[in-house]
Amino acid sequence: MPRHRPLPTSRHPELHRTNRVGWLRAAVLGANDGIVSVAGIVVGVAASGASSETILMTGVAGVVAGAMSMAAGEYVSVQSQADTEAADLAIEKRELRAEPGLELAELTQIYVQRGLEPALARQVAEQLTAHDALAAHARDELGLTEELRARPLQAALASAAAFTVGAALPIAASVFAPADRVAAVTTAVTLVGLLISGGIAARIGGASILRGAWRVGFWGAAAMAAAALVGRLFNVAV
């Protein structure tokens, strides 16, 4: 029997990152918010002259409230996106049942606008419609793909978990810092953590590590400076 030669494999495999967009966005937002917001709380309360116990309890309360808030916010937001996607797909299903000819013409026109000759565009539209008409319209008309579709629960869990992990940094700094240096130590440790967090997020997303570290560090420093200023203005021990 004749042997079939195996298909050649690519010598330059491509690493795409679009399938990470959903959870990566939620995780980066959660981690940075956890670091910045809890550090801001710790620095602000410390600057007011509060005791170490008060600083710690305030920070822990901020972690719990922040993680729940991030999870709820992400879930509601992404669920709204998922509802919109489902509604659009329902419309496409109805139109495919009611006017399949018009939908085929619409798909053909999309491919013509993307550069295909009309005859080839028609052939492609017919073949994709025969294979999976709804998937073809979802992808090429609505811009919906399996990799980029909304996943509310995934986004909520990623955001809450990342917030908690990020918030652990300023909490740990406030616990181990000298009582009279809580604000300074927390600020320094948090800035380092923000630079690392921004760099890691940029690396995962395929962006510039230095640019990612800089932008996260800058806005984190601004947030803590504002919190410290508020604490000093009130300068009252709790």
Side-chain angles (χ1 to χ4, degrees):
M1 296 178 63
R3 292 184 177 180
H4 296 285
R5 298 178 63 182
L7 294 174
T9 57
S10 173
R11 296 183 180 180
H12 55 283
E14 298 176 343
L15 177 62
H16 297 291
R17 296 175 172 85
T18 52
N19 61 324
R20 304 175 181 175
V21 169
W23 67 262
L24 179 59
R25 181 196 63 81
V28 170
L29 180 62
N32 290 339
D33 196 32
I35 296 173
V36 174
S37 61
V38 175
I41 292 173
V42 169
V43 171
V45 175
S48 72
S51 64
S52 299
E53 292 78 10
T54 299
I55 295 172
L56 177 59
M57 291 305 299
T58 305
V60 172
V63 174
V64 175
M68 294 300 296
S69 175
M70 291 295 294
E74 280 293 329
Y75 184 86
V76 171
S77 174
V78 179
Q79 184 61 58
S80 297
Q81 178 185 342
D83 291 342
T84 302
E85 293 176 359
D88 284 343
L89 288 175
I91 292 174
E92 284 301 317
K93 287 181 181 179
R94 290 196 299 268
E95 291 178 346
L96 284 168
R97 287 194 300 266
E99 300 286 352
L102 291 179
E103 289 298 299
L104 180 61
E106 184 179 33
L107 199 60
T108 300
Q109 186 59 31
I110 290 173
Y111 298 142
V112 169
Q113 292 175 351
R114 292 182 180 179
L116 296 183
E117 293 293 332
L120 180 57
R122 178 76 179 191
Q123 182 180 4
V124 171
E126 289 175 346
Q127 291 189 9
L128 290 178
T129 297
H131 176 68
D132 191 335
L134 182 60
H137 282 271
R139 180 183 60 252
D140 297 319
E141 181 182 350
L142 303 177
L144 302 179
T145 63
E146 180 63 24
E147 293 79 10
L148 299 179
R149 72 182 180 89
R151 295 179 173 86
L153 186 59
Q154 181 191 67
L157 293 176
S159 183
F163 183 97
T164 304
V165 172
L169 184 63
I171 292 293
S174 69
V175 170
F176 293 106
D180 59 338
R181 305 287 293 171
V182 171
V185 171
T186 301
T187 299
V189 171
T190 298
L191 284 176
V192 172
L194 285 171
L195 293 173
I196 294 174
S197 170
I200 291 175
R203 177 68 180 85
I204 294 174
S208 167
I209 294 177
L210 291 178
R211 187 180 304 167
W214 161 249
R215 66 190 174 202
V216 173
F218 172 81
W219 290 109
M224 286 187 293
L229 177 60
V230 172
R232 290 189 182 278
L233 287 175
F234 288 93
N235 196 24
V236 176
V238 179

